[in-house]
Amino acid sequence: LQEWAKTIVKKPAVGIFARSRKTYGRNLPPEFYVKLIKNLEDRGYSVVWLGEKQSTLPCPVDHVVDFSRMSESRDLEKTLAIVCNLEFTIQFWTASTRLAGIMGVPFLLFESPEQICASRSGLMGAQEGKRLELTSFGNKKVVLAHYISVLEQQDKALEIVDRAIDEMNVGNYDVMLGMVEDEEFSTQLHKEHMEMLT
């Protein structure tokens, strides 16, 4: 399967999972991904479009390999073989991180602080944070950001993506505080979460 995957992936490559769910929303528009792909290609990466067809935005750039629309994407082993040939994956408010995470492939995730961080008060669910702890066996870069803030300031969000990739490239996988409504609250929430983990 690795040899087969190499016919799909032109290294160095990055995988993008682009959420497109009717339920719960939190989808970013195609225009955002067009700019993201250009930024990645300007950095020298090729891009592979990943995800389940029914919950993934069709790739808005014609020359990008849209694996989500290929029949092979229904084969988990082939999907994981593709993921293993990537430098990292990028996703926004989606649990698709588990595919890279279980294979030890680095990933970059934008997620809301409340989904990542548990607080001492116990009021926060931190479902995604729990999932990451259980299914991540490699490096991960998490950007704490609220969906509406990113949706309303997409160019700023792309700048944060660039900064996060720069940090990943020098081995810095610390959590980043991105675009949040209340920086002080989010910082305190993350601090409490880290204290709980240690």
Side-chain angles (χ1 to χ4, degrees):
L1 286 181
Q2 285 301 313
E3 291 306 312
W4 168 84
K6 289 174 183 176
T7 66
I8 305 290
V9 178
K10 295 179 181 177
K11 291 190 172 187
V14 173
I16 296 176
F17 290 89
R19 179 188 179 101
S20 181
R21 292 181 178 271
K22 293 180 181 178
T23 307
Y24 308 123
R26 295 182 294 168
N27 306 319
L28 294 171
E31 295 77 17
F32 174 84
Y33 290 104
V34 169
K35 291 180 179 179
L36 174 61
I37 289 168
K38 183 180 185 309
N39 288 358
L40 290 168
E41 291 179 339
D42 287 347
R43 285 175 168 267
Y45 295 113
S46 65
V47 173
V48 180
W49 201 257
L50 298 164
E52 300 169 329
K53 181 178 179 180
Q54 62 271 23
S55 61
T56 299
L57 182 74
C59 184
V61 176
D62 289 340
H63 67 263
V64 167
V65 174
D66 190 345
F67 187 68
S68 73
R69 294 319 192 254
M70 295 171 64
S71 60
E72 291 91 340
S73 69
R74 294 193 297 268
D75 184 321
L76 180 58
E77 288 185 349
K78 287 185 175 179
T79 299
L80 294 177
I82 292 286
V83 169
C84 284
N85 278 275
L86 302 172
E87 302 300 312
F88 58 92
T89 68
I90 301 178
Q91 44 271 302
F92 303 82
W93 300 280
T94 173
S96 60
T97 53
R98 65 190 182 275
L99 295 177
I102 62 174
M103 301 310 292
V105 173
F107 61 82
L108 170 58
L109 169 68
F110 274 58
E111 185 57 88
S112 60
E114 298 84 357
Q115 285 293 315
I116 295 293
C117 303
S119 71
R120 284 193 289 258
S121 66
L123 298 176
M124 301 297 172
Q127 294 94 334
E128 187 62 20
K130 293 172 186 173
R131 189 188 344 259
L132 292 182
E133 292 301 319
L134 292 172
T135 62
S136 300
F137 299 100
N139 290 320
K140 58 184 180 290
K141 186 75 170 176
V142 177
V143 177
L144 301 179
H146 285 118
Y147 166 70
I148 295 298
S149 300
V150 169
L151 185 65
E152 293 177 347
Q153 302 175 72
Q154 293 174 37
D155 287 341
K156 182 178 178 182
L158 289 166
E159 291 175 6
I160 293 173
V161 170
D162 281 337
R163 197 165 81 239
I165 293 172
D166 287 340
E167 291 188 6
M168 291 167 68
N169 284 339
V170 296
N172 179 352
Y173 286 89
D174 293 342
V175 170
M176 281 180 65
L177 187 63
M179 302 166 71
V180 293
E181 295 169 7
D182 187 332
E183 288 192 15
E184 185 177 346
F185 170 75
S186 296
T187 300
Q188 182 62 30
L189 184 63
H190 180 248
K191 181 182 176 185
E192 290 186 10
H193 178 70
M194 295 308 295
E195 288 173 353
M196 290 173 63
L197 293 178
T198 56

